[in-house]
């Protein structure tokens, strides 16, 4: 499924910039080796007033970069950015709640895939809680805006 998404990524990005796509947000994080900014479209999950991102198939480049950087810029709408701290979740109730929410919050047909793969996702998925940063912690000159719920 991710191979297909990679092929249609330019179309998805254009559609997201024009119309939005459900819970999809753009996450931009500095690369751990190159220092260059890398962007990826992710599902921005909401659980108990907190926001989360993650990858169900375990660590991938952007999750490694996010863990190393400890923060990312997130846009729920094109041009509306917030710099957020990323806290990687350990196994436990918070992570389990986020994984369960993924199956409920993803649009069709993704919700069916996530529902069917719950056991696999619990075994290998990598998830992060996103938290607002104080202005002294954020990038110089960038306004920190709380993402929409």
């Amino acid at each position: 499924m991710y191979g297909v998404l990679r092929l249609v990524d330019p179309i998805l990005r254009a559609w997201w910039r024009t119309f939005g796509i459900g819970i999809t947000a753009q996450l931009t994080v500095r690369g751990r080796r190159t220092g260059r900014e890398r962007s990826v479209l992710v599902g921005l999950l909401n659980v108990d007033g907190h926001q989360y991102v993650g990858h169900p198939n375990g660590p991938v480049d952007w999750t490694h970069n996010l863990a190393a950087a400890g923060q990312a810029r997130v846009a729920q709408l094109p041009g509306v950015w917030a710099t957020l701290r990323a806290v990687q979740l350990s196994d436990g109730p918070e992570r389990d709640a986020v994984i369960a929410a993924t199956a409920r919050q993803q649009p069709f047909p993704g919700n069916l895939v996530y529902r069917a793969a719950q056991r696999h996702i619990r075994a290998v998925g990598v998830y992060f809680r996103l938290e607002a940063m104080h202005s002294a912690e954020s990038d110089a000159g960038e306004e920190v805006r709380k993402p929409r719920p």
Side-chain angles (χ1 to χ4, degrees):
M1 186 164 151
Y2 285 101
V4 172
L5 289 175
R6 210 171 285 120
L7 288 174
V8 298
D9 183 69
I11 296 166
L12 289 174
R13 285 178 188 268
W15 187 272
W16 176 79
R17 281 191 299 272
T18 306
F19 304 106
I21 303 173
I23 65 170
T24 303
Q26 183 174 338
L27 181 135
T28 300
V29 63
R30 194 161 302 282
R32 65 195 180 282
R33 290 180 280 188
T34 66
R36 291 178 38 208
E37 287 195 337
R38 307 288 183 173
S39 293
V40 63
L41 294 178
V42 296
L44 190 60
L45 305 163
N46 290 290
V47 179
D48 296 331
H50 298 284
Q51 295 187 310
Y52 300 87
V53 294
H55 198 282
N57 288 328
V60 293
D61 284 338
W62 74 263
T63 62
H64 285 300
N65 290 340
L66 187 55
Q71 68 180 37
R73 290 187 318 126
V74 178
Q76 288 181 280
L77 298 171
V80 182
W81 292 95
T83 299
L84 303 171
R85 175 187 0 258
V87 178
Q88 189 166 351
L89 302 181
S90 302
D91 288 347
E94 181 180 20
R95 183 174 172 274
D96 290 345
V98 172
I99 291 169
T102 303
R104 291 190 309 275
Q105 294 180 21
Q106 286 290 336
F108 179 84
N111 61 338
L112 299 178
V113 173
Y114 280 99
R115 195 168 291 131
Q118 290 286 298
R119 189 186 245 135
H120 167 75
I121 296 168
R122 278 193 174 84
V124 300
V126 176
Y127 288 86
F128 296 83
R129 181 178 56 250
L130 300 176
E131 303 173 341
M133 295 177 63
H134 301 291
S135 59
E137 295 174 296
S138 66
D139 294 334
E142 183 176 347
E143 179 181 341
V144 176
R145 297 180 205 152
K146 185 170 175 81
R148 68 179 183 194

